Amino acid sequence: MARFTLPRDIYYGPGALDELKVLKGKKKAMIFTGGNSMRRGGFLQKTEEVLQKNGLLTQIYDGIEPDPSIETVFKGANALQEFEPDVIVAIGGGSPIDAAKAMWVFYEYPEKTFEDIKEPFTMPTLRQKAIFVAIPSTSGTASEVTAFSVITDYSTNIKYPLADFEITPDIAIIDYDIPQTMPQTLTAHTGMDALTHAIEAYTASARSDFSDPLALQAISGVFESLLDSFYGDVNARSKMHVAQCLAGMAFSNALLGIAHSLAHKIGAVFHIPHGNCNAILLPYVIQYNSKACLDRYAQIAKHLGLTGSTDKLLLNSLIDAINTLNTKLDIAHSMKEHGITEEDFQKHAQTIAHNAVLDPCTASNPRTIDDENMLKVLTCAYYGTPVTF
């Protein structure tokens, strides 16, 4: 028996923030956000305005950092316990949405510890106190439709991808106006995160007939729109906001692979932005995984209209297309080119590889992997050498 879970409602289009009016009848909403971008764009104020107009008392909790920590999660949970909302609203990038998801758990179950929930699918039943609304500002993480929340333990420099269908939001608001404000670099990184989500979902061991069409549509959407979105095209940014959401629906159910396992662990140590790290890793991970699912990568290449008379040639065309996209988006092709020193890499490589093997995303990778081979993939991605084993 398998399961496919999405938010109950997804509202989308220009001005979709207005659809927060469906929450009429609720009493209190706590609004979580990150830095100042949502306030500068007026989207935080509009969120509060729509909620208040429909009779909800609101409170804003801002300043959630990139790569939110366990400490941040518990501070937010304490704020929730003081305010006692029946709606949690998270607006911004993946970090505030992820953090608010974890805060939600400890709001409803204050006796729980982080250890209690860090293993996949170990969360208690939620919605005893509040429902969850997610409003993404970036076109990449898709946290608004997923069963995932990535939280960092800075005492050990490990990112934990929390996973449970309980934290899938109840409502997702995909407002096309919001991503128009993204800086160019953020557009590139989040777009490549979306592409990695979709490709890994299409090849993951938990993929299904339900997730495959979403993954393929997301892949083609990214290839069609990311470059134009990078250069600020309004319509392309709207299309990317949809494509990343489709990718999220796919991977939330099909799960991911070792590009994400490595990106989680590399990001915690070297603080490379998550999407940027995925973009660097993706070609090397595809080379490694092709020994187990060459036909799946060939199908992606065919779907994109790439050339190749054999599955191997189609694989090469797909990798070339990803490398070309990275070049056009000003993304490095190796960790060394990105600026990580050889001394720092050698110091942390074995620990990163070991922790990546333990990452929950590794379990759904299409090809099995151990510490030795994970280190080899990581080393290839550092030096920019092909994965041939």
Side-chain angles (χ1 to χ4, degrees), residues 61-119:
Y61 188 105
D62 59 8
I64 295 173
E65 75 275 23
D67 299 326
S69 67
I70 295 173
E71 291 75 17
T72 292
V73 167
F74 281 103
K75 286 178 184 176
N78 289 336
L80 283 166
Q81 288 155 17
E82 290 176 8
F83 188 59
E84 297 185 330
D86 51 358
V87 181
I88 297 170
V89 179
I91 180 170
S95 293
I97 297 175
D98 281 4
K101 285 180 177 180
M103 293 169 185
W104 183 23
V105 179
F106 297 112
Y107 168 46
E108 300 216 356
Y109 294 89
E111 73 281 4
K112 292 285 184 183
T113 67
F114 191 77
E115 291 293 318
D116 291 332
I117 68 165
K118 74 178 186 180
E119 295 301 319

Side-chain angles (χ1 to χ4, degrees), residues 33-37 62-73 92-99 103 138 141 150-154 159 186 267-268 271-275:
T33 194
N36 294 317
S37 62
D62 59 8
I64 295 173
E65 75 275 23
D67 299 326
S69 67
I70 295 173
E71 291 75 17
T72 292
V73 167
S95 293
I97 297 175
D98 281 4
M103 293 169 185
T138 61
T141 66
V150 180
I151 304 298
T152 302
D153 183 347
Y154 285 98
K159 281 187 179 183
L186 184 61
H271 307 294
I272 302 175
H274 179 69

Side-chain angles (χ1 to χ4, degrees), residues 51-275:
L51 293 169
Q52 291 177 352
K53 185 178 179 180
N54 286 280
L56 280 80
L57 182 66
T58 62
Q59 187 175 110
I60 292 174
Y61 188 105
D62 59 8
I64 295 173
E65 75 275 23
D67 299 326
S69 67
I70 295 173
E71 291 75 17
T72 292
V73 167
F74 281 103
K75 286 178 184 176
N78 289 336
L80 283 166
Q81 288 155 17
E82 290 176 8
F83 188 59
E84 297 185 330
D86 51 358
V87 181
I88 297 170
V89 179
I91 180 170
S95 293
I97 297 175
D98 281 4
K101 285 180 177 180
M103 293 169 185
W104 183 23
V105 179
F106 297 112
Y107 168 46
E108 300 216 356
Y109 294 89
E111 73 281 4
K112 292 285 184 183
T113 67
F114 191 77
E115 291 293 318
D116 291 332
I117 68 165
K118 74 178 186 180
E119 295 301 319
F121 303 102
T122 57
M123 292 186 186
T125 301
L126 298 180
R127 297 163 183 83
Q128 311 302 307
K129 296 180 181 179
I131 64 168
F132 195 98
V133 181
I135 308 164
S137 63
T138 61
S139 300
T141 66
S143 189
E144 74 277 3
V145 294
T146 73
F148 291 90
S149 164
V150 180
I151 304 298
T152 302
D153 183 347
Y154 285 98
S155 69
T156 58
N157 275 339
I158 295 176
K159 281 187 179 183
Y160 289 99
L162 308 178
D164 200 295
F165 289 120
E166 286 296 324
I167 57 171
T168 303
D170 298 280
I171 297 172
I173 305 286
I174 313 297
D175 191 321
Y176 297 173
D177 296 332
I178 301 178
Q180 305 298 335
T181 62
M182 278 195 299
Q184 195 173 51
T185 299
L186 184 61
T187 301
H189 294 171
T190 56
M192 290 305 294
D193 191 20
L195 181 62
T196 307
H197 287 155
I199 290 177
E200 290 210 302
Y202 193 70
T203 56
S205 61
R207 65 185 184 267
S208 71
D209 290 342
F210 295 94
S211 61
D212 280 353
L214 293 167
L216 283 176
Q217 183 64 29
I219 292 166
S220 60
V222 171
F223 269 98
E224 289 168 7
S225 301
L226 181 52
L227 279 178
D228 287 339
S229 178
F230 181 66
Y231 290 111
D233 181 86
V234 172
N235 190 46
R237 291 216 168 180
S238 298
K239 289 182 176 179
M240 273 300 303
H241 217 36
V242 173
Q244 66 87 29
C245 185
L246 296 173
M249 294 181 201
F251 89 78
S252 185
N253 292 277
L255 306 180
L256 293 165
I258 61 169
H260 272 80
S261 303
L262 283 165
H264 291 149
K265 308 318 175 191
I266 292 167
V269 174
F270 294 124
H271 307 294
I272 302 175
H274 179 69

Side-chain angles (χ1 to χ4, degrees), residues 294-368:
L294 178 60
D295 61 324
R296 301 292 288 183
Y297 292 124
Q299 288 166 20
I300 292 172
K302 288 177 183 176
H303 183 74
L304 292 172
L306 302 177
T307 59
S309 57
T310 66
D311 283 357
K312 177 63 176 174
L313 291 173
L314 285 164
L315 170 76
N316 293 339
S317 290
L318 177 61
I319 293 170
D320 288 345
I322 293 168
N323 282 327
T324 298
L325 194 54
N326 278 341
T327 298
K328 291 180 178 179
L329 295 170
D330 297 326
I331 293 174
H333 292 276
S334 68
M335 292 170 61
K336 186 174 184 180
E337 183 184 331
H338 180 82
I340 305 301
T341 68
E342 195 163 1
E343 180 182 2
D344 281 345
F345 175 74
Q346 295 294 346
K347 178 180 177 181
H348 296 287
Q350 285 191 328
T351 300
I352 289 171
H354 175 70
N355 288 335
V357 170
L358 300 178
D359 190 277
C361 293
T362 300
S364 48
N365 195 65
R367 184 182 174 190
T368 57

